[in-house]
Amino acid sequence: MAAFGASFTAITLAELGDKTFFMALILAARHRGRDVFIGAFAALTAVTLISLGLGYGLRELLPATVVPWLAAALFVGFGLKLLVDAQGMEANEADEEEQEAQQAIDEAESRRRISTTWAVIWEAFVLVFIAELGDRTQFTTIFLATAPAFTFAGLLAGTLVGHALVTWLAVGAGKWIGGRISEQLLYRLSGGLFIAFGLFAFKQALG
């Protein structure tokens, strides 16, 4: 339950207002929402499995005594980075994410006409998969997987439920939510959450 709660909260905060959120939003305005959801969620699931594999691989490669300290350092470092990034953010940061998503979709759809169900699913999958690689959500998943206290099943379930919720919101109520998102606030909440994870991991390492 700890792994589920931690990953669900962290992923939901990281994914709201992210480029992939706006991609699902824009695609759902142009195509059938169900097809967009299937493609986007499949891409997020694939990246989640890759990220958990990387995190667990790192955990297995290193000595058991080092892993808790590494997890704590990663959590605190990532949390501080998010807080620093939040300080330098402009008020229109979410608008920039939306513009980047719009540009990527326009470029993809200018090459060929997207009309069939499978074409929409494939377009959503490819665009979201590429956007998610190297994104803060992917790093969030990798770092969570390095923590010895978090089980794979709990992290997988929490991450996928978080992705499903945010993708569903983007497809179903994206326009309403998109205009009310504060990237700065989300970064601050995420940063505070990761520092809390880091302090918990430090406590475990010392114990």
Side-chain angles (χ1 to χ4, degrees):
M1 288 305 296
F4 179 89
S7 56
F8 174 77
T9 307
I11 292 300
T12 301
L13 288 174
E15 197 67 18
L16 274 172
D18 202 12
K19 191 190 296 183
T20 52
F21 172 88
F22 286 112
M23 277 183 171
L25 183 159
I26 295 165
L27 285 169
R30 300 184 184 186
H31 308 289
R32 195 174 172 186
R34 187 184 69 180
D35 300 338
V36 173
F37 179 88
I38 292 170
F41 184 65
L44 293 168
T45 300
V47 177
T48 294
L49 291 171
I50 293 169
S51 304
L52 288 175
L54 289 171
Y56 271 86
L58 189 62
R59 190 200 289 190
E60 292 299 317
L61 284 171
L62 296 172
T65 52
V66 173
V67 172
W69 294 101
L70 174 66
L74 288 174
F75 284 147
V76 171
F78 193 52
L80 289 173
K81 181 184 182 303
L82 290 172
L83 292 177
V84 170
D85 288 346
Q87 279 300 110
M89 255 179 199
E90 298 178 7
N92 63 342
E93 196 74 27
D95 294 336
E96 291 179 14
E97 293 278 6
E98 185 173 6
Q99 288 167 11
E100 287 179 17
Q102 179 90 49
Q103 186 177 355
I105 292 168
D106 289 342
E107 192 176 322
E109 296 197 344
S110 66
R111 300 193 197 107
R112 61 192 180 95
R113 186 166 171 266
I114 309 295
S115 56
T116 66
T117 294
W118 285 111
V120 174
I121 292 173
W122 180 246
E123 179 192 23
F125 179 89
V126 172
L127 287 171
V128 170
F129 184 86
I130 292 171
E132 192 71 3
L133 290 175
D135 198 27
R136 80 174 184 271
T137 317
Q138 184 181 29
F139 284 113
T140 295
T141 309
I142 292 170
F143 293 161
L144 285 169
T146 63
F150 295 151
T151 63
F152 180 86
L155 287 178
L156 180 63
T159 302
L160 293 184
V161 172
H163 279 309
L165 173 63
V166 176
T167 305
W168 175 77
L169 288 172
V171 170
K175 283 294 180 188
W176 185 84
I177 295 170
R180 291 164 173 78
I181 285 174
S182 168
E183 281 282 286
Q184 191 175 56
L185 176 61
L186 290 173
Y187 265 64
R188 283 174 175 163
L189 289 172
S190 296
L193 184 66
F194 270 92
I195 289 174
F197 288 161
L199 294 175
F200 176 73
F202 272 126
K203 184 181 176 183
Q204 281 203 316
L206 288 169

